């Protein structure tokens, strides 16, 4: 074992300093050692394989000479989505729009524990949308900072994220967008704790997120979240994931909030132009997933749900969503598909109205309705999708149809 | 005074329990992963435990991917694998500060098997790929009887399939009418009972009840696998987090010892020595 280890280390070092150019010569050296009876043919083969594995690992870790490590460790990701959108509002003429979204992100490891990421995206200052509508005679649209954050894996079970954090779904378990539009990138700090055991993964997501800042006084609105949960695998094919989030809002009652979109911040109950209630709430979430159910007829099926309860108002303070999706777990390749259906019911003061899915009645509260979505893979990382919403007011007569046809390319 | 004795006794007991639990933990070893490596790990654990009764070794299967994931998650001490670790697994390991170190413990050849009555004796890699992807469906196209080829494959989660997929199929899809089996033993069982069948198993599962085919003119054997001339061969690994220490080191040293390599041979795989 000791001789083998030494030979292995020497060869790994040789490969590294030579930039892999002399791997053929190392084969010859090993053959010579076999000829001289120092190594058996099997040991020689093992040494060569283990050396290659060691080099492969160093390559993956970016430990070779040459470019700075942060460059070797950098990953560029992005996507382009082209969309046709039709809207039918009960009180306005039909609207047809061509829209696009482009996002580009860079992520790099500063060291083995710290990662920095930043991304740019089209769209205005609306926190819930990075869409750009085709308009204004080919004018050139804005590109804005979508996210910029640091991620520090303090221990294998504790990760900290701070800054404008990429994607709400990376810091909160949310099987649907009842409460959180998937484009929201919260600002503040999150601590994510996780503990993996045999069949059960425990986790606790926490966050302190800033909602606004006022230069004239110190009563800045912000929010806290704590979400303990677990994922339990019954076997290789079945899992359940559950969590309960507690949200605490500070300085929100009596404040006016906006997410940058003019269409938000006015559908909760207002008093004197400001929010009448607080939105400290409790929100359980659940998802059950089944691989190859019905004798393998489909590759994956999941049922999921979200619920929210805000105890401050005495009425119109509940919300829920029930959903099912089936087909591929994620559509990444040609021929893969996924179908999804969701029913949502979000009362006026169940949740603060600047965060829910902006496509469901423009992200208002006091809405209920259906969403159907179908995604089909037309190539590796290229999908076609159709998303249809029929939403209506819980109280009142408003109703809206929304149809989106998306061609999405990821890279 | 009595209180001092009582507190002293309690402290001693607690410290004793802590030391005992640390010692017990240090003599506990969890091995998880490839179903191909499983018989080697199980037999080695059995013999090793006879020699070191204080060692508590738990050996589980689940597949190579499961084993490597368990090592990355810190759930097992040794991950058995019938394939090298993938780049994305290395990246995940690095992110979690795990340093997967490979130990080749044996070699395996994937033998392509048919029913003993089948007159076909050899195939090229291209012919084999064509059979499994559906371009060839009758043995008469390969100089055999006019008989439909019954294709037996492994489920996609198995390390044996991953190796076959990489070395033979070149990641093309297996024909949809292939019968998928969950283990080497199941493949062997179906092939020996079905005249037109073709399947593939680890070299250790070959038996006289089936016929192994030459691939590119080479029969699967210890010699051809060790020299690397047999085209469908692979190393078998045990991965540890960093250089093995304590019980993990003792166990891997045992697997690589003459006695351990004897067990490798007993189980039908190719020893390194």
């Amino acid at each position: 074992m000791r001789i083998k280890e030494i030979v292995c280390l020497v060869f790994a070092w040789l490969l590294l300093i030579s930039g892999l150019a002399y791997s053929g010569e190392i084969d010859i050296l090993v053959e010579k050692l076999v000829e001289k009876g120092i190594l058996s043919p099997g040991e020689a083969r093992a040494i060569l394989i283990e050396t290659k594995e060691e080099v492969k690992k160093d390559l993956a870790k970016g430990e070779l000479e040459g470019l700075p490590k942060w460059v070797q460790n950098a990953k560029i990701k992005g996507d382009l989505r082209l969309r046709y959108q039709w809207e039918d509002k009960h009180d306005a003429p039909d609207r047809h729009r061509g829209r696009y979204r482009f996002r580009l992100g860079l992520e790099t490891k500063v060291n083995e524990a710290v990662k920095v990421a930043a991304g740019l995206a089209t769209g205005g200052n609306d926190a819930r949308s990075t869409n750009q509508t085709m308009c204004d005679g080919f004018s050139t649209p804005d590109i804005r900072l979508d996210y910029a954050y640091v991620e520090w894996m303090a221990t294998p079970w504790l990760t900290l994220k701070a800054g404008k954090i990429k994607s709400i779904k990376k810091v909160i378990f949310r099987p649907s967008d009842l409460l959180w539009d998937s484009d929201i990138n919260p600002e503040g700090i999150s601590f994510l704790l996780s503990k993996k055991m045999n069949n059960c993964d425990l986790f606790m997501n926490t966050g302190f997120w800033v909602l606004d800042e006022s230069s004239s006084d110190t009563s800045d609105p912000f929010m806290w979240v704590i979400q303990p949960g677990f994922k339990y695998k019954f076997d290789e094919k079945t899992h359940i994931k559950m969590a309960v989030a507690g949200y605490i809002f500070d300085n929100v009652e009596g404040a006016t909030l906006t997410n940058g979109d003019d269409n938000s911040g006015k559908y909760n109950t207002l008093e004197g132009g400001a929010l009448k209630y607080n939105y400290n709430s409790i929100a359980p979430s659940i998802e059950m997933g089944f691989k190859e159910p019905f004798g393998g007829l489909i590759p994956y099926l999941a049922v999921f749900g979200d619920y929210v309860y805000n105890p401050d108002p005495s009425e119109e303070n509940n919300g829920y969503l029930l959903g099912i999706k089936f087909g591929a777990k994620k559509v990444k390749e040609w021929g893969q598909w996924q179908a999804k259906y969701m029913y949502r019911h979000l009362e006026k003061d169940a949740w603060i109205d600047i965060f829910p899915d902006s496509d469901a009645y423009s992200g208002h509260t006091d809405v209920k309705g259906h969403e159907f979505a179908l995604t089909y893979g037309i190539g590796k990382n290229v999908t076609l999708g159709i998303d249809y919403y029929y939403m209506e007011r819980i109280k009142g007569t408003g109703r809206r149809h929304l149809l989106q046809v998306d061609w999405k390319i990821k890279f | 005074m009595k209180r001092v004795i009582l507190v002293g006794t309690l402290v001693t007991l607690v410290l004793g329990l802590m030391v005992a639990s640390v010692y017990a933990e240090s003599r506990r070893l969890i091995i998880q992963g490839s179903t191909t490596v499983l018989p080697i790990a199980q037999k080695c654990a059995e013999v090793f435990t006879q020699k070191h009764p204080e060692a508590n070794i738990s050996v589980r299967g689940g597949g190579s991917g499961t084993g490597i994931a368990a090592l990355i998650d810190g759930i097992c001490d040794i991950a058995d694998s019938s394939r090298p670790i993938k780049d994305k697994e290395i990246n995940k390991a690095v992110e979690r500060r795990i340093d997967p170190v490979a130990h080749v413990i044996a070699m395996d050849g994937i033998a392509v098997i048919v029913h003993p009555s089948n007159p076909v004796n050899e195939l090229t890699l291209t012919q084999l790929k064509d059979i499994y992807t559906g371009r060839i469906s009758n043995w008469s196209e390969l100089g055999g009887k006019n008989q439909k080829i019954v294709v037996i494959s492994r489920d996609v989660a198995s390390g044996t399939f991953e190796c076959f997929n990489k070395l033979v199929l070149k990641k093309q899809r297996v024909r949809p009418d292939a019968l998928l089996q969950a283990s080497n033993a199941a493949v062997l069982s179906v092939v020996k009972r079905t005249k037109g069948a073709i399947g593939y198993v680890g070299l250790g599962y070959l038996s006289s009840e089936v016929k192994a085919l030459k691939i590119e003119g080479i029969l699967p054997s210890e010699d051809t696998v060790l020299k690397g001339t047999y085209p469908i061969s692979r190393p078998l690994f045990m991965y540890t987090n960093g250089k093995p220490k304590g019980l993990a080191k003792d166990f891997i040293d045992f697997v690589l010892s003459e006695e351990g390599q004897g067990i490798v041979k007993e189980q039908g795989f190719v020893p390194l020595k």
Side-chain angles (χ1 to χ4, degrees):
Chain A
M1 181 73 177
R2 182 171 287 275
I3 291 171
K4 201 175 134 189
E5 270 181 6
I6 292 167
V7 174
C8 236
L9 278 173
V10 169
F11 288 151
W13 179 76
L14 278 172
L15 273 176
L16 283 172
I17 59 164
S18 62
L20 308 176
Y22 303 109
S23 56
E25 290 178 19
I26 287 168
D27 287 0
I28 294 167
L29 279 173
V30 170
E31 274 175 30
K32 288 282 178 203
L33 292 172
V34 174
E35 278 173 22
K36 291 189 179 297
I38 296 169
L39 294 173
S40 72
E43 285 174 320
R45 186 99 195 268
I47 285 170
L48 288 174
I49 293 165
E50 286 171 8
T51 306
K52 275 182 192 165
E53 286 293 288
E54 200 60 30
V55 172
K56 192 171 80 177
K57 189 172 70 187
D58 289 340
L59 273 168
K61 286 161 73 176
E63 288 188 352
L64 288 183
E65 300 293 326
L67 293 169
K69 279 183 186 171
W70 76 268
V71 177
Q72 291 184 46
N73 290 331
K75 286 180 194 164
I76 295 177
K77 288 179 181 175
D79 67 274
L80 172 67
R81 184 178 71 192
L82 305 178
R83 168 175 287 178
Y84 160 73
Q85 181 167 310
W86 166 69
E87 288 163 272
D88 170 19
K89 299 179 182 178
H90 76 290
D91 53 356
D94 282 14
R95 192 174 182 194
H96 300 267
R97 278 193 280 179
R99 311 188 88 182
Y100 56 92
R101 177 185 78 182
F102 177 70
R103 297 186 296 191
L104 185 66
L106 175 75
E107 175 186 304
T108 187
K109 278 186 279 185
V110 177
N111 59 43
E112 289 199 353
V114 177
K115 202 159 75 173
V116 170
L120 303 173
T122 48
N125 59 352
D126 182 354
R128 292 189 286 191
S129 176
T130 44
N131 283 317
Q132 175 63 45
T133 298
M134 296 175 187
C135 63
D136 294 338
F138 310 143
S139 63
T140 50
D142 291 335
I143 285 277
R144 288 170 178 258
L145 185 68
D146 196 24
Y147 59 87
Y149 70 101
V150 59
E151 180 176 322
W152 174 41
M153 185 181 249
T155 70
W157 49 268
L158 173 64
T159 301
L160 176 151
K161 293 185 181 189
K164 185 163 180 59
I165 302 165
K166 183 185 178 185
S167 190
I168 185 76
K169 59 189 173 191
K170 301 281 186 190
V171 285
I172 282 285
F173 167 55
R174 44 170 287 292
S176 79
D177 45 18
L178 175 74
L179 304 183
W180 293 103
D181 187 293
S182 55
D183 280 326
I184 287 179
N185 298 321
E187 294 172 350
I189 188 166
S190 272
F191 291 91
L192 311 173
L193 294 94
S194 62
K195 172 70 183 168
K196 286 182 181 286
M197 293 187 284
N198 278 345
N199 292 330
C200 188
D201 300 345
L202 301 175
F203 61 88
M204 186 155 74
N205 302 319
T206 66
F208 169 74
W209 301 333
V210 179
L211 297 176
D212 203 357
E213 193 274 334
S214 165
S215 58
S216 57
D217 61 47
T218 54
S219 56
D220 298 330
F222 56 87
M223 65 181 291
W224 303 83
V225 56
I226 181 163
Q227 186 189 46
F230 70 90
K231 179 178 178 181
Y232 183 79
K233 285 184 184 172
F234 295 97
D235 51 43
E236 287 300 312
K237 293 189 169 180
T238 312
H239 79 265
I240 184 168
K241 190 171 180 181
M242 287 179 74
V244 179
Y247 294 99
I248 299 168
F249 290 83
D250 260 334
N251 302 323
V252 162
E253 188 179 337
T256 52
L257 292 180
T258 175
N259 58 14
D261 177 18
D262 289 342
N263 198 27
S264 298
K266 49 195 177 189
Y267 294 95
N268 295 131
T269 302
L270 303 179
E271 195 172 62
L275 291 168
K276 181 179 179 185
Y277 299 113
N278 207 335
Y279 288 86
N280 296 343
S281 47
I282 189 158
S285 301
I286 185 168
E287 178 187 85
M288 276 200 81
F290 308 88
K291 279 184 193 165
E292 298 172 354
F294 312 121
L297 193 65
I298 48 175
Y300 183 72
L301 181 145
V303 288
F304 51 91
D306 271 317
Y307 175 76
V308 63
Y309 170 66
N310 175 12
D312 192 20
S314 57
E315 57 179 2
E316 297 185 87
N317 57 355
N318 284 280
Y320 63 88
L321 182 146
L322 297 170
I324 182 170
K325 61 182 176 184
F326 53 93
K329 194 171 183 182
K330 282 187 179 172
V331 179
K332 291 179 180 173
E333 305 282 347
W334 179 89
Q336 290 182 330
W337 59 273
Q338 187 194 72
K340 188 158 72 170
Y341 167 75
M342 291 183 283
Y343 177 77
R344 78 185 69 209
H345 176 105
L346 186 61
E347 292 173 355
K348 189 174 179 65
D349 289 308
W351 182 240
I352 205 152
D353 72 354
I354 60 172
F355 298 140
D357 178 13
S358 65
D359 294 323
Y361 213 110
S362 300
H364 301 179
T365 53
D366 184 32
V367 295
K368 63 179 180 181
H370 310 269
E371 179 187 351
F372 302 88
L374 181 65
T375 309
Y376 187 79
I378 56 171
K380 191 173 175 64
N381 298 321
V382 183
T383 60
L384 271 183
I386 296 175
D387 206 350
Y388 169 73
Y389 291 78
Y390 175 72
M391 307 297 298
E392 55 191 348
R393 287 277 178 218
I394 297 171
K395 292 196 169 176
T397 54
R399 55 154 186 80
R400 290 185 185 181
H401 298 272
L402 174 72
L403 177 72
Q404 296 167 331
V405 181
D406 292 336
W407 178 16
K408 195 150 92 180
I409 302 104
K410 275 188 176 180
F411 56 91
Chain B
M1 186 61 184
K2 275 183 182 173
R3 183 176 292 176
V4 172
I5 291 169
L6 188 65
V7 171
T9 309
L10 279 172
V11 168
T12 309
L13 266 173
V14 169
L15 285 175
L17 281 170
M18 283 169 69
V19 170
S21 65
V22 168
Y23 179 76
E25 192 65 24
S26 71
R27 302 308 288 171
R28 186 161 177 258
L29 188 69
I30 298 173
I31 303 169
Q32 189 169 0
S34 162
T35 52
T36 307
V37 183
L38 187 63
I40 299 175
Q42 277 176 330
K43 187 67 185 172
C44 283
E46 187 187 319
V47 176
F48 184 86
T49 315
Q50 282 166 6
K51 291 172 179 289
H52 305 275
E54 77 284 3
N56 175 5
I57 302 178
S58 162
V59 183
R60 303 169 192 157
S64 303
T66 307
I68 290 170
L71 186 77
I72 292 168
D73 290 340
I75 296 168
C76 75
D77 305 294
I78 293 175
D80 293 340
S81 181
S82 56
R83 59 162 173 82
I85 191 167
K86 295 174 183 172
D87 283 352
K88 66 178 179 186
E89 290 168 333
I90 294 174
N91 288 334
K92 199 171 173 188
V94 170
E95 277 177 20
R96 297 191 179 189
R97 299 191 195 175
I98 301 290
D99 178 27
V101 172
H103 310 271
V104 177
I105 54 123
M107 297 296 295
D108 184 21
I110 293 184
V112 177
I113 54 171
V114 294
H115 191 271
S117 67
N118 194 322
V120 174
N121 292 317
E122 72 178 279
L123 294 172
T124 65
L125 278 172
T126 310
Q127 287 170 329
L128 190 56
K129 182 174 147 193
D130 287 348
I131 291 171
Y132 271 85
T133 53
R135 286 193 190 91
I136 296 177
S137 295
N138 196 297
W139 284 110
S140 62
E141 296 172 69
L142 301 160
K145 296 174 188 168
N146 180 18
Q147 190 172 38
K148 188 187 169 196
I149 301 176
V150 180
V151 175
I152 316 295
S153 188
R154 287 292 308 279
D155 58 287
V156 294
S158 79
T160 312
F161 173 78
E162 277 196 25
C163 185
F164 191 78
N165 189 25
K166 189 177 171 191
L167 298 175
V168 178
L169 300 177
K170 310 291 183 197
K171 298 191 174 176
Q172 286 194 23
R173 288 182 187 180
V174 176
R175 54 196 297 162
D177 63 347
L179 304 174
L180 302 187
Q181 301 296 319
S183 67
N184 283 298
V187 172
L188 194 79
S189 170
V190 176
V191 171
K192 77 181 181 191
R193 286 186 281 110
T194 313
K195 284 195 173 171
I198 185 169
Y200 55 88
V201 292
L203 198 62
Y205 288 84
L206 263 186
S207 84
S208 57
E209 295 169 306
V210 293
K211 181 164 85 174
L213 298 182
K214 284 183 184 173
I215 302 297
E216 301 289 353
I218 311 283
L219 258 180
S221 71
E222 282 193 12
D223 189 45
T224 57
V225 165
L226 265 188
K227 284 180 182 162
T229 53
Y230 181 67
I232 321 175
S233 66
R234 59 180 176 174
L236 301 179
F237 297 93
M238 286 187 174
Y239 281 92
T240 53
N241 176 15
K243 288 202 181 307
K245 291 175 191 162
L247 187 54
K249 181 180 185 308
D250 294 346
F251 183 75
I252 288 179
D253 284 350
F254 174 75
V255 176
L256 292 172
S257 70
E258 280 192 18
E259 191 174 3
Q261 290 295 292
I263 292 171
V264 164
K265 191 166 186 172
E266 268 173 33
Q267 298 300 318
F269 297 95
V270 182
L272 302 173
K273 293 176 183 171

